[in-house]
Amino acid sequence: MTNHWIDIKNADSVLIIGSNAAEHHPVAFKWIMKAKDNGAVLMHVDPKFSRTSARCDFHVPLRSGTDIPFLGGMVNYILENGCYHKDYVNNYTDAAFVVGDGYAFEDGLFSGFNAEARKYDKSLWAKAKGADGGPVIDPTHQNPRCVINLMKDHYSRYTLKNVSDITGVSQENLLKVYKNFCATGRPDKAGTILYALGWTQHTVGVQNIRLSSLVQLLLGNIGIAGGGINALRGEPNVQGSTDHALLYNNIPGYHGTPQAPWQTLAEYNKANTPVTTLPNSANWWGNRPKYVASLLKGWFGDAATPENDFCYGLLPKLEPGEDYSYMYIMDKIYNNKIKGGFIMGVNPMNSFPNTNKMRTALDNLDWLVCSEIHNSETTDNWMRPGVDPKTKKTEVFLLPSAHRIEKAGTISNSGRWLQWFDKAVEPGGEARNFADVVVPLFNTIRTMYKQEGGVLPEPIMKMHWTDKYDPEEWARRINGFFWADTKVGDKTYKRGQLVPTFGVLKDDGTTSSLNWIYTGSWTEEDGNKSRRRDPSQTPLQANIGLFPNWSWCWPLNRRILYNRASVDVNGKPFNPKRVVIEWDGTKWVGDVPDGPWPPMSDPKGKLPFIMVKDGHSQFYGPGPADGPFPEHYEPAETPLASHPFSKQLSSPVYKYHKSPMDQIAPPADPRYPIVLTTYSLTEHWCGGGETRNVPNLLETEPQLYVEMSHELAKEKGIKNGDGVLLESARGKCEAIAMVTVRIRPFTIMGKTVHLVGMPFAFGWTTPKCGDSTNRLTVGAYDPNTTIPESKACCVNLHKADKLTEIG
Ligand SMILES: Nc1nc2c(c(=O)[nH]1)N[C@H]1C(S)=C(S)[C@@H](COP(=O)(O)OP(=O)(O)OC[C@H]3O[C@@H](n4cnc5c(=O)[nH]c(N)nc54)[C@H](O)[C@@H]3O)O[C@H]1N2
Ligand SMILES: Nc1nc2c(c(=O)[nH]1)N[C@H]1C(S)=C(S)[C@@H](COP(=O)(O)OP(=O)(O)OC[C@H]3O[C@@H](n4cnc5c(=O)[nH]c(N)nc54)[C@H](O)[C@@H]3O)O[C@H]1N2
Ligand SMILES: [Mo]
């Protein structure tokens, strides 16, 4: 989230799109209801009607996978009607930047496309460079290659008719949302966008979100109270896990993972540290070398010295372009390239797409270590229905895991708040929490290395390690320490004391921090700030629901990111009724500002978008793999043979695998004419591995079902409660028919398209739960993040006289 949960109450317009917030973020939803009490208009744009829709002023159904046309139409509406926030756009965005000659767009393809590699040469998309190497800026917008002109041109195709034809949303409904939300383009109004998996789980997931930033920047909605782009994060600590680099492509604190071409720290820093020519750009990532050196110091301690590159050479390096994400790991297992491994706290045999392939793949392992709180489809894969366990070679070690209430630590919520929780009870039986499994394991490995030697001993032996796990010790290490006595202002810190802020981190080995954005969370002065529960605030802060002494949030306890964009160039709030920060003539008051500098009109002032090299937020983004402007592509599996925006039907660069078990149906395949979308349930948690073992939850939602419209049910001769057999290009699945008005047929380019919806919380291990929805879903992935397209694939269905095949 750029903002935080309480702040949603400040919104005048709330657009919930691609999320079922009421059911999956029920506690946080109270702030959405507060906004409504305050007079905000609530809108839900979603293929099906849910409890979220019921609480909104209106629900607008759209066909799954068509959010880019929906929002592209909104961008077109804003630009055609000139209802954007002019001061904001002119001063704080790249609207006036000139794009280089290499960029072009034709028939759905951007320049530089290599069809064989399914990749673009992104270097062609660079912005124009002046004689000094800096950007070329035309504040008059006369140059046709100014970003704002190219953007206008690009989205001029997203007319109400085209958008309505492809999304299935009536023109009237489109205008209802556009008018309401675009009314927040005024300086004194705020609109927030709340999204989750309905946006991310698509082959165009990243571009869905990028397009929301185009809308929010045009309307001046980033950095302000009640505004922002707010990802409703899923698992309780998914925010923390991304911050601490659960994903393979970055190391803690959002630094790219070292790659093979960067063998030295100098090479790494050169490739990853942006340089700006604009004196009023803070270019915060220019500080990266300090944060990376401090991270290495945190990892390797005394062994890390300036002379040995702080042990940078000991880090593994990625091959550029290689994908190490989980779907690619599963494909390697399928292809017998991995012999064994650990699966902990995840149930991929039920929750990953195209489960039939996943299950077959897992059979290839010689050994598997699972840590679980229950037996699951994954731990018991070797004895799944229809399989003779004697024919399966995998040796499975099942370690009983403690439950999360049986350990202490922190959770970072969607609003980036870091909150400590204590252990409620001791783990039962032989169960252990994650750290008490892996720390002793690593201790044993280290002992064996010491006694017997082994491959590549240095990283294992030189690591700054403690052989007993203590969450408080690690929380302090994450904050970071001084490694030499250091004077900061008039205060001297001793070696071994905690660093107070990332402003003091250095690249010379005198500081450590396991994650620079968390520096300041535990200090000598204030102790563990994630424990703070102090509701005190100034009147200015109280006015917008900002509680600076309640827990702590990254970075630096700044509650609203990019808050310098909430004021004009003189530091005066755009909206005097909901002040986030304000320049009082000598200093900022309110939230922690994005940097201490005076307002922009001062010669020492800085631009608000401090994490962007040139300080201006970007409408034009040459970074993503699939283009600098979001463009509509159909999902990998689509009921259509064409669409009105271009000749390019699906994304030309989405990723997929090519095994015999990775079938993707061709466009408009008559065998699979129905769109399937999938989702979570209020009464279960994700794949259900945990909640299907809780009897009262299982009783409330006992079985897999498929939601379908009355119209489709009639066409297929199906009644509510009938057994249904569904089929996709990858597998079959049985479910009970739930015939409902919550889902309606769509009219797409004059033709009826049916959509059905299924939860993915059920699987075979818990008796009578039935089949796994993911036997149907497709292994097609976003080219930037490799997230699978769980929200759209194509199926067919018919009435089943008898349900047989539980699996
Ligand atoms: N009770 C409960 N709470 C949960 C979870 C749970 O399992 N149970 N799971 C947690 C986790 S890990 C996560 S990630 C979150 C998930 O939170 P959400 O993303 O809110 O939940 P989903 O059910 O995956 O999907 C959200 C909505 O997207 C819609 N949708 C599908 N396709 C599209 C599309 O193309 N466009 C648009 N606009 N909408 C679409 C679906 O109809 C659905 O209503 O919830 C978290 N909270
Ligand atoms: N079709 C479809 N598929 C989806 C999605 C979708 O919307 N549609 N959503 C995706 C999303 S957003 C997510 S987050 C994933 C979730 O996918 P999973 O993470 O596989 O889902 P869970 O069912 O939460 O599985 C977690 C397992 O961990 C166990 N567990 C719980 N607590 C602990 C613990 O403390 N320690 C250990 N070792 N184990 C524990 C539980 O018993 C459970 O079996 O599913 C994804 N899959
Ligand atoms: Mo999730």
Side-chain angles (χ1 to χ4, degrees):
M1 279 188 168
T2 52
N3 295 40
H4 59 98
W5 285 109
I6 299 176
D7 177 69
I8 293 170
K9 73 173 184 159
N10 295 313
D12 297 292
S13 191
V14 180
L15 181 56
I16 307 173
I17 175 165
S19 163
N20 183 353
E23 298 193 47
H24 302 147
H25 304 87
V27 176
F29 198 76
K30 76 174 179 188
W31 300 108
I32 300 173
M33 296 315 294
K34 274 259 182 346
K36 192 176 181 185
D37 293 345
N38 293 342
V41 178
L42 269 49
M43 297 171 272
H44 191 212
V45 180
D46 195 293
K48 71 158 184 165
F49 188 93
S50 64
R51 290 169 174 120
T52 301
S53 329
R55 293 301 219 161
C56 284
D57 291 271
F58 46 92
H59 169 235
V60 170
L62 100 166
R63 177 172 62 102
S64 188
T66 61
D67 294 83
I68 288 180
F70 185 88
L71 288 182
M74 185 157 359
V75 169
N76 190 33
Y77 176 92
I78 297 169
L79 291 170
E80 273 193 345
N81 293 291
C83 55
Y84 59 90
H85 187 335
K86 309 238 166 25
D87 271 2
Y88 190 105
V89 167
N90 291 341
N91 292 322
Y92 299 156
T93 75
D94 67 351
F97 283 44
V98 176
V99 171
D101 293 336
Y103 167 80
F105 176 78
E106 212 184 324
D107 277 342
L109 286 174
F110 296 93
S111 46
F113 182 59
N114 176 337
E116 208 178 309
R118 290 178 69 83
K119 274 211 163 94
Y120 282 109
D121 172 4
K122 296 196 286 181
S123 67
L124 291 175
W125 304 340
K127 286 180 179 160
K129 278 189 183 151
D132 63 351
V136 180
I137 300 175
D138 174 9
T140 68
H141 298 176
Q142 296 291 305
N143 189 322
R145 291 186 73 81
C146 275
V147 166
I148 193 151
N149 298 326
L150 291 178
M151 180 164 61
K152 259 185 201 152
D153 205 37
H154 192 88
Y155 293 104
S156 62
R157 295 168 298 134
Y158 288 70
T159 57
L160 285 176
K161 175 166 184 348
N162 283 348
V163 172
S164 173
D165 276 355
I166 202 76
T167 56
V169 180
S170 68
Q171 295 198 24
E172 188 194 350
N173 268 349
L174 286 174
L175 278 174
K176 210 151 92 174
V177 178
Y178 293 173
K179 278 189 179 147
N180 246 296
F181 200 70
C182 298
T184 65
R186 289 174 27 187
D188 61 345
K189 292 280 177 221
T192 181
I193 295 185
L194 309 177
Y195 77 90
L197 301 185
W199 267 10
T200 55
Q201 290 176 337
H202 283 291
T203 45
V204 293
V206 165
Q207 298 287 10
N208 277 332
I209 297 149
R210 247 197 69 69
L211 190 47
S212 73
S213 65
L214 267 61
V215 168
Q216 290 297 61
L217 290 170
L218 281 167
L219 299 174
N221 274 337
I222 304 266
I224 66 170
I229 298 171
N230 294 305
L232 316 184
R233 313 286 331 238
E235 301 278 353
N237 199 24
V238 67
Q239 181 64 53
S241 69
T242 13
D243 298 340
H244 293 295
L246 192 74
L247 302 176
Y248 77 89
N249 60 339
N250 59 68
I251 55 177
Y254 300 101
H255 311 296
T257 305
Q259 296 189 8
W262 313 323
Q263 287 295 317
T264 66
L265 183 57
E267 283 164 338
Y268 177 89
N269 282 336
K270 183 154 188 272
N272 291 285
T273 312
V275 180
T276 182
T277 55
L278 302 185
N280 62 352
S281 169
N283 183 28
W284 200 263
W285 281 121
N287 292 304
R288 193 181 315 264
K290 301 173 198 167
Y291 307 148
V292 172
S294 298
L295 175 61
L296 288 162
K297 192 76 189 162
W299 276 340
F300 294 104
D302 279 326
T305 64
E307 292 72 35
N308 69 9
D309 254 6
F310 303 110
C311 298
Y312 171 83
L314 302 183
L315 300 184
K317 313 280 185 303
L318 301 181
E319 285 305 320
E322 270 286 306
D323 192 317
Y324 300 83
S325 67
Y326 64 90
M327 291 311 292
Y328 278 71
I329 291 176
M330 289 308 302
D331 190 61
K332 281 209 172 83
I333 297 175
Y334 180 85
N335 287 308
N336 274 307
K337 296 206 172 109
I338 292 177
K339 293 247 167 290
F342 289 66
I343 298 182
M344 293 177 158
V346 60
N347 184 10
M349 298 306 111
N350 206 46
S351 52
F352 288 10
N354 193 9
T355 334
N356 290 342
K357 179 186 173 192
M358 301 303 120
R359 294 173 182 187
T360 310
L362 211 69
D363 289 340
N364 288 341
L365 291 181
D366 292 341
W367 59 273
L368 172 66
V369 180
C370 288
S371 165
E372 253 294 345
I373 55 176
H374 302 285
N375 284 57
S376 73
E377 284 74 18
T378 302
T379 63
D380 294 2
N381 187 54
W382 55 279
M383 54 175 191
R384 65 188 181 274
V387 151
D388 176 4
K390 288 199 202 82
T391 63
K392 300 299 160 205
K393 64 173 176 177
T394 318
E395 188 175 2
V396 182
F397 302 88
L398 178 54
L399 309 178
S401 169
H403 192 266
R404 60 188 159 277
I405 62 164
E406 296 167 333
K407 63 182 180 185
T410 60
I411 284 183
S412 299
N413 76 4
S414 300
R416 297 166 283 105
W417 295 15
L418 183 70
Q419 300 187 87
W420 193 272
F421 60 91
D422 292 304
K423 186 195 280 183
V425 284
E426 288 300 322
E430 289 178 32
R432 293 189 188 187
N433 73 46
F434 179 74
D436 289 332
V437 172
V438 295
V439 171
L441 178 66
F442 196 58
N443 288 341
T444 308
I445 293 171
R446 277 165 64 93
T447 307
M448 287 172 74
Y449 260 85
K450 212 175 195 166
Q451 288 166 354
E452 302 164 25
V455 181
L456 204 63
E458 289 89 353
I460 287 163
M461 300 316 291
K462 286 189 175 166
M463 182 178 283
H464 181 44
W465 185 243
T466 57
D467 55 12
K468 272 228 151 17
Y469 176 71
D470 168 9
E472 297 202 332
E473 160 73 5
W474 285 94
R476 282 191 293 265
R477 286 187 182 208
I478 287 168
N479 177 83
F481 300 107
F482 287 105
W483 286 72
D485 295 357
T486 306
K487 214 166 167 221
V488 178
D490 34 358
K491 189 161 177 178
T492 302
Y493 289 87
K494 292 255 164 277
R495 180 188 151 103
Q497 286 196 307
L498 293 154
V499 285
T501 134
F502 53 67
V504 305
L505 295 180
K506 294 214 181 100
D507 61 2
D508 61 2
T510 58
T511 56
S512 72
S513 166
L514 287 177
N515 196 331
W516 72 278
I517 57 176
Y518 280 88
T519 307
S521 57
W522 192 319
T523 61
E524 294 294 336
E525 294 78 10
D526 301 316
N528 180 359
K529 294 191 206 165
S530 70
R531 280 196 178 279
R532 296 190 307 179
R533 299 291 184 269
D534 171 1
S536 64
Q537 50 188 178
T538 64
L540 206 58
Q541 292 163 342
N543 186 44
I544 58 163
L546 203 143
F547 291 93
N549 302 306
W550 188 280
S551 78
W552 179 88
C553 95
W554 69 258
L556 286 182
N557 208 26
R558 180 175 304 134
R559 305 285 163 140
I560 298 183
L561 296 179
Y562 297 116
N563 53 28
R564 293 171 75 93
S566 70
V567 297
D568 67 13
V569 293
N570 298 312
K572 266 211 153 51
F574 283 125
N575 183 355
K577 290 200 300 283
R578 292 191 209 110
V579 175
V580 182
I581 60 167
E582 185 170 22
W583 183 250
D584 73 0
T586 50
K587 61 174 191 317
W588 294 100
V589 290
D591 194 8
V592 177
D594 261 306
W597 317 281
M600 263 184 68
S601 57
D602 187 290
K604 290 205 271 327
K606 298 279 183 211
L607 285 151
F609 287 90
I610 63 169
M611 304 312 281
V612 185
K613 182 175 81 143
D614 289 325
H616 298 73
S617 61
Q618 305 190 86
F619 290 120
Y620 181 86
D626 40 0
F629 287 126
E631 169 68 3
H632 174 61
Y633 302 111
E634 284 291 308
E637 278 190 341
T638 165
L640 308 186
S642 67
H643 64 73
F645 297 97
S646 76
K647 288 193 207 132
Q648 187 62 42
L649 190 65
S650 294
S651 162
V653 292
Y654 78 77
K655 292 184 180 180
Y656 63 96
H657 286 110
K658 294 189 179 131
S659 84
M661 294 192 83
D662 279 295
Q663 300 299 322
I664 296 182
D669 188 334
R671 291 173 302 166
Y672 309 111
I674 300 168
V675 177
L676 166 70
T677 195
T678 65
Y679 32 77
S680 285
L681 279 184
T682 310
E683 298 79 1
H684 283 287
W685 188 260
C686 291
E690 191 173 342
T691 45
R692 279 183 273 129
N693 286 287
V694 179
N696 56 340
L697 293 176
L698 189 60
E699 193 181 338
T700 54
E701 285 284 4
Q703 198 168 13
L704 181 60
Y705 55 84
V706 49
E707 292 186 64
M708 66 179 81
S709 66
H710 285 277
E711 291 83 347
L712 177 62
K714 198 166 162 207
E715 245 177 57
K716 297 281 185 182
I718 292 172
K719 287 196 304 298
N720 195 35
D722 280 350
V724 173
L725 185 69
L726 293 110
E727 209 171 330
S728 77
R730 294 152 298 281
K732 295 185 176 135
C733 175
E734 293 175 342
I736 301 295
M738 184 191 280
V739 181
T740 170
V741 291
R742 290 192 296 268
I743 292 183
R744 309 294 294 272
F746 293 97
T747 305
I748 308 296
M749 303 203 307
K751 239 182 65 187
T752 298
V753 171
H754 289 290
L755 179 142
V756 295
M758 292 169 82
F760 75 102
F762 300 99
W764 64 267
T765 54
T766 315
K768 298 198 185 99
C769 272
D771 223 337
S772 193
T773 296
N774 276 323
R775 298 174 78 162
L776 301 168
T777 49
V778 64
Y781 325 114
D782 179 285
N784 302 284
T785 58
T786 324
I787 193 170
E789 194 152 60
S790 314
K791 289 291 184 259
C793 68
C794 285
V795 297
N796 208 344
L797 57 86
H798 62 261
K799 186 173 162 188
D801 295 328
K802 207 166 106 211
L803 292 185
T804 49
E805 196 192 333
I806 297 289

